[in-house]
Amino acid sequence: MPVVKVNGVHIFYELTGTNGDPLVFVHGSWSDHATWDLVTGELAKTFLVLTYDRRGHSLSERLPGSGLVAEDVDDLVAMVEQFALSPAHIVGNSFGSSIVLKAAIKRPDIFRSMIIHEPPLFPLLHDNTNAQAALHAVNGAIKKVLDLVAAGEMENAAKQFMNNIAMGPGAWEQLPGKKKETYIYNAPTWYDELQDPECLQIDLRRLSFFNKPTLLSVGSESPSFFPLVIDKLKDYLPMVTFKKIEGAGHVPYASHPDTYIDMVKDFVDQQED
């Protein structure tokens, strides 16, 4: 099993592909490296692809006690440097996008470009009067899931998160058993992440200095709070491209893998022109 020790933690990883440009994927909460499986095989024909399980997830080490999102940021930087991938095209989804954005602030030098989909940076909506209903709804849903994890109801917590926050009604029932097992196993790490007061925050002023090409995407079927967050980020990133993925939601690489592959390839190709 390929494991590397970074920042004192054993991290599981997969490095596949050609000698093309490095393409690094950072998964969101509850999931792991396998969440990218429907797109990495094709992309590895063109790129050198790195996926890994973030600390506390699946095959990577889970340390006791509360962690910090800053540790995930440092892990991402360390993984890029460990495999000499800098500068890389770095891709994130959901909470993984938040990590990528924070890494862009801290270490812009490791980036060639940034591709992110729907980071859950909900505090950015506090001054948006049109977002208050959506913000109230998502905060309430998060609180319910946190309470379920705290009570030890991991399966119910995962179900509620997928149905009411990430994917939409009925999504949990359609997931294969292996995916459900992954989400249930990683529930405590999601709970741990949410204990960090900085986990959903971003410094927009510092982010505005990131001068590398950035692709922001949303799914046309995603909950309304995600597009609102993306709209806020658009105003602060100087080299931004925006893409709405028609028919997709919060995990487009799983629901619309061919479309997602084309989106990534097209964006990266533009940087080569």
Side-chain angles (χ1 to χ4, degrees), residues 39 91 168 179 194 247 269:
V39 299
V91 185
K179 286 287 187 184
L194 269 289
D269 285 348

Side-chain angles (χ1 to χ4, degrees), residues 1-14:
M1 186 173 76
V3 173
V4 63
K5 190 172 185 178
V6 298
N7 301 318
V9 179
H10 292 94
I11 300 293
F12 172 86
Y13 71 93
E14 289 187 346

Side-chain angles (χ1 to χ4, degrees), residues 16-204:
T16 58
T18 68
N19 291 321
D21 287 349
L23 190 61
V24 179
F25 289 87
V26 185
H27 67 80
S29 300
W30 304 80
S31 60
D32 58 22
H33 74 284
T35 195
W36 305 103
D37 281 355
L38 293 180
V39 299
T40 51
E42 180 63 29
L43 290 169
K45 296 176 181 178
T46 309
F47 301 98
L48 180 60
V49 175
L50 173 67
T51 60
Y52 65 98
D53 290 351
R54 293 195 291 110
R55 59 170 59 209
H57 293 80
S58 295
L59 297 176
S60 288
E61 187 177 2
R62 179 178 294 172
L63 297 180
S66 295
L68 300 171
V69 65
E71 295 170 334
D72 276 293
V73 173
D74 289 343
D75 289 348
L76 168 57
V77 173
M79 293 295 285
V80 171
E81 293 182 332
Q82 175 78 22
F83 296 104
L85 302 179
S86 178
H89 304 284
I90 304 182
V91 185
N93 186 73
S94 193
F95 196 82
S97 288
S98 300
I99 292 166
V100 173
L101 286 163
K102 290 171 184 285
I105 292 172
K106 185 172 185 177
R107 288 290 305 275
D109 56 296
I110 70 168
F111 286 80
R112 189 163 184 174
S113 73
M114 176 167 63
I115 302 171
I116 63 174
H117 186 80
E118 300 185 349
L121 299 170
F122 305 129
L124 293 182
L125 307 181
H126 282 159
D127 61 353
N128 183 341
T129 56
N130 296 322
Q132 295 313 300
L135 188 61
H136 179 75
V138 71
N139 285 338
I142 289 172
K143 174 65 164 56
K144 289 180 181 179
V145 179
L146 285 169
D147 289 345
L148 287 169
V149 175
E153 298 184 35
M154 304 306 177
E155 182 171 357
N156 196 12
K159 177 181 178 179
Q160 294 301 315
F161 183 86
M162 298 306 158
N163 285 348
N164 299 329
I165 300 174
M167 298 182 184
W172 179 257
E173 289 71 20
Q174 298 176 30
L175 290 172
K178 187 173 177 59
K179 286 287 187 184
K180 290 180 179 178
E181 290 173 6
T182 297
Y183 296 147
I184 292 167
Y185 178 79
N186 290 328
T189 299
W190 174 82
Y191 182 90
D192 183 59
E193 289 171 346
L194 269 289
Q195 306 312 303
D196 179 1
E198 296 297 315
C199 70
L200 303 182
Q201 304 284 345
I202 194 78
D203 188 333
L204 290 175

Side-chain angles (χ1 to χ4, degrees), residues 101 117-138 202 204 216-236 242-244 250:
L101 286 163
H117 186 80
E118 300 185 349
L121 299 170
F122 305 129
L124 293 182
L125 307 181
H126 282 159
D127 61 353
N128 183 341
T129 56
N130 296 322
Q132 295 313 300
L135 188 61
H136 179 75
V138 71
I202 194 78
L204 290 175
L216 303 178
S217 64
V218 298
S220 66
E221 306 308 307
S222 292
S224 62
F225 36 79
F226 288 120
L228 292 171
V229 169
I230 290 292
D231 285 343
K232 187 80 171 184
L233 291 171
K234 281 185 206 174
D235 295 335
Y236 286 86
F242 171 71
K243 175 73 173 181
K244 179 182 283 188
H250 195 51

